Amino acid sequence: MTVETALKEAMAIDGALGVALVDYESGMSLGTLGDDGGVDLEMAAAGNTEVVRAKIRTLATLGMEDTIEDILITLGRQYHLIRPLASSSGSLFLYLALDRGRSNLALARHSLKRIESSLDV
């Protein structure tokens, strides 16, 4: 699936506010889509790059030879999901912002995993 199709499918997830495909090495987004529900996707992409980098450094410091499946940040009104793409050797991640009151976190994680596995970058 193309980046554009993946972003559209992610926005079809119940409660989706915005989605971005991000290169964590540069902090740049390769694509964004959203209804501007209070989430500046370009700023979120850059900020979440630091979250991913910090977690990768922490795993390396702890000597954990494992991969990040996803990172969840819960806010009062939103969930933020970060899912590194296994196919990109960890240099890309999907970022999805969800309205907490309109979303099902388990289904959103499952959908993002399915989108990731189909994405051809």
Side-chain angles (χ1 to χ4, degrees):
M1 126 179 9
T2 66
V3 171
E4 182 179 341
T5 302
L7 296 176
K8 286 179 182 177
E9 285 200 22
M11 283 304 296
I13 295 171
D14 286 342
L17 299 172
V19 63
L21 178 64
V22 185
D23 176 350
Y24 92 78
E25 291 176 357
S26 69
M28 302 296 290
S29 61
L30 304 177
T32 62
L33 190 60
D35 65 3
D36 196 30
V39 178
D40 180 336
L41 292 170
E42 294 294 331
M43 183 71 72
N48 285 310
T49 293
E50 294 303 318
V51 172
V52 173
R53 287 178 186 163
K55 191 59 189 173
I56 289 170
R57 278 193 310 269
T58 301
L59 290 175
T61 300
L62 294 172
M64 297 178 72
E65 294 185 24
D66 207 346
T67 57
I68 300 168
E69 186 173 323
D70 58 30
I71 298 169
L72 169 64
I73 300 168
T74 58
L75 305 175
R77 290 181 234 141
Q78 296 178 356
Y79 292 124
H80 291 216
L81 281 172
I82 300 167
R83 183 164 187 93
L85 275 58
S87 62
S88 72
S89 301
S91 66
L92 299 176
F93 66 87
L94 282 167
Y95 163 72
L96 177 65
L98 298 160
D99 179 305
R100 193 169 173 163
R102 296 186 303 123
S103 62
N104 178 313
L105 183 56
L107 288 176
R109 289 182 69 221
H110 178 73
S111 296
L112 208 56
K113 182 178 182 178
R114 180 187 50 75
I115 291 167
E116 180 227 344
S117 69
S118 300
L119 183 59
D120 185 29
V121 182

